[in-house]
Amino acid sequence: MERILGENERVAQANRAAFDAAGVTVVNLMSAPGAGKTTLLAETLRRLAPHRRIGIIEGDIETSLDADRLDGFGAAIALVNTGDGFGGECHLDAPMVASALPGLPLGELDLVIVENVGNLVCPAEFPIGEHRRAMVYAVTEGEEKPLKYPVMFRSTDLVLVNKTDLLPHLDFDLAAFRRNLDAVRPGVEVVEISARTGVGIDEWCAWLGRPPQSAGH
């Protein structure tokens, strides 16, 4: 494991050097399966792609379904299937991201968003050379998730609380979730959103536009 993590760190540093040389900001977007990352990215591209040059690295174990959903919004997209020569891993690591870089015109981009494989554990443990991290958490997942999966919540710079349009229909205590989150990641920035209705997306897009040094990584 030490050898794997050491090699990952070496490649992550090389990725970061390539991003910095190209002048592109890279955000690692993580979540559990079904939290709404792809829906969020579609709405993000709808708003930002006309004004910013954006690339997407789409990570999935199998299929191009999510990459296909994002096609046509004006972003450059590179797909990484971890089941295709990477052992079917439940996360993207730095070498996988490095394998996707030839598919992106880095020097022509302002922002790259990496949609990591849906998983609340492994993606948090593997830096990929990103400048900052965001995670999408859906209110359908339950208030206890920060306590059960603290590594993910501790590793992120921003928590996007998604599917808030469903709150009237759920037995969900948002205040309890925030208390649990504060217990494992005090002071982390939180934005309440609905990727389906568009609530909070402007605030998320503004966060994406901040200089990397102001976001913590």
Side-chain angles (χ1 to χ4, degrees):
M1 178 60 69
E2 289 179 357
R3 289 196 299 272
I4 291 171
L5 293 176
E7 174 65 10
N8 188 81
E9 180 62 28
R10 184 190 68 78
V11 180
Q13 292 176 1
N15 289 346
R16 180 65 169 268
F19 301 147
D20 289 345
V24 62
T25 298
V26 178
V27 174
N28 186 357
L29 187 63
M30 306 174 292
S31 81
K37 293 191 305 298
T38 308
T39 302
L40 172 63
L41 285 178
E43 184 60 28
T44 302
L45 293 178
R46 192 175 288 114
R47 298 181 185 217
L48 291 185
H51 317 290
R52 300 188 69 188
R53 302 172 300 174
I54 300 176
I56 301 290
I57 295 177
E58 181 60 52
D60 267 314
I61 296 176
E62 298 284 357
T63 82
S64 63
L65 292 173
D66 289 347
D68 294 341
R69 284 182 62 189
L70 299 178
D71 193 25
F73 287 99
I77 300 175
L79 173 64
V80 179
N81 282 140
T82 69
D84 185 16
F86 293 109
E89 295 286 359
C90 55
H91 61 274
L92 294 182
D93 61 19
M96 295 177 203
V97 170
S99 76
L101 297 187
L104 292 178
L106 280 185
E108 302 172 14
L109 300 176
D110 305 307
L111 172 68
V112 170
I113 303 175
V114 179
E115 182 175 358
N116 218 308
V117 179
N119 187 293
L120 276 181
V121 181
C122 300
E125 299 176 335
F126 286 85
I128 56 175
E130 70 272 53
H131 295 94
R132 47 190 163 174
R133 291 177 167 189
M135 72 163 295
V136 182
Y137 159 85
V139 296
T140 50
E141 297 175 53
E143 302 93 337
E144 78 286 355
K145 288 302 182 291
L147 304 179
K148 294 181 69 173
Y149 301 96
V151 173
M152 172 63 74
F153 287 89
R154 286 174 181 150
S155 76
T156 193
D157 301 297
L158 174 71
V159 176
L160 296 160
V161 180
N162 191 25
K163 305 189 182 181
T164 55
D165 54 300
L166 298 179
L167 285 174
H169 311 288
L170 299 173
D171 181 17
F172 176 83
D173 189 336
L174 185 57
F177 166 76
R178 281 183 169 268
R179 288 194 298 271
N180 292 336
L181 177 61
D182 191 58
V184 301
R185 183 69 162 91
V188 68
E189 190 169 356
V190 178
V191 178
E192 296 177 15
I193 68 169
S194 168
R196 187 179 68 86
T197 67
V199 170
I201 305 303
D202 285 342
E203 192 172 350
W204 153 245
C205 289
W207 185 87
L208 287 173
R210 295 184 199 172
Q213 61 268 26
S214 69
H217 268 271

